[in-house]
Amino acid sequence: MFKIQGPVLAATAFDHFSGNVLRQADALARYHRVKLHVCHVLSEIYAVRPLFPYMHLEDALEVADLEATVRKELLKLIRDKTGRTASRVSVEIEHGTVHSGILRVAEDIGAGMGVIGGKKDAASLPGLGGKAERVTRHAHCPVFLVRPTRRGKVLAATD
């Protein structure tokens, strides 16, 4: 049987996939008795201000406020979807492109499994969005892709 050797990393984007991603990642982490890490990547918002270098301090303070707000909202979402409190989950806030931020966190924590939401995108593989495809292709751990499903009956085969 497949055994996850490191922590589970859930990548969220505060979109309609995030709840399912968190529930699946939580279930995997509990089943394999490993730690759950939740990652959110913020786009780089630093402005280049060669004529006004003193404004870099303002930018840094805004980023710190943004990170604190994102962390607070992410912990609230985690609690709502999984029942975990802040002490039972690690929240990782990264900056940069989404796929590179997720891959960087996965490497830093030694992730045993990544969980990410996917969608159909004409420019990528069926069932994968561009970001999910890049993460899946370049991750050094298995990646569990959470996709939207239609409501209705589920067929399960057993022997």
Side-chain angles (χ1 to χ4, degrees):
M1 168 150 184
F2 178 74
K3 174 73 175 138
I4 296 174
Q5 298 298 325
V8 172
L9 175 63
T12 64
F14 290 110
D15 59 6
H16 59 282
F17 290 111
S18 293
N20 289 336
V21 167
L22 288 171
R23 282 190 287 273
Q24 292 291 337
D26 178 58
L28 285 166
R30 288 178 195 270
Y31 180 80
H32 291 280
R33 293 186 174 106
V34 295
K35 189 164 175 106
L36 176 63
H37 289 255
V38 179
C39 170
H40 183 79
V41 182
L42 296 170
S43 299
E44 288 291 347
I45 60 171
Y46 300 112
V48 177
R49 301 177 193 265
L51 298 177
F52 307 103
Y54 61 88
M55 295 182 86
H56 287 291
L57 177 60
E58 290 176 24
D59 293 341
L61 294 173
E62 288 176 13
V63 168
D65 289 343
L66 178 61
E67 280 186 18
T69 302
V70 167
R71 183 176 303 278
K72 178 181 163 193
E73 291 301 315
L74 198 52
L75 285 169
K76 190 165 94 173
L77 181 65
I78 293 165
R79 187 181 60 247
D80 291 347
K81 300 300 180 184
T82 69
R84 287 180 183 251
T85 59
S87 63
R88 296 184 55 228
V89 66
S90 288
V91 174
E92 313 290 340
I93 307 291
E94 270 294 322
H95 295 269
T97 59
V98 173
H99 66 280
S100 65
I102 294 167
L103 292 169
R104 198 167 34 250
V105 170
E107 288 294 315
D108 289 349
I109 67 169
M113 166 87 53
V115 181
I116 188 169
K119 63 183 179 215
K120 187 168 176 130
D121 184 359
S124 64
L125 296 173
L128 288 175
K131 297 168 190 86
E133 181 179 346
R134 288 186 193 110
V135 171
T136 303
R137 287 186 187 274
H138 300 287
H140 292 128
C141 65
V143 177
F144 184 86
L145 181 67
V146 177
R147 297 185 345 186
T149 58
R150 290 186 227 147
R151 298 239 180 247
K153 297 179 181 179
V154 176
L155 173 65
T158 62
D159 59 353

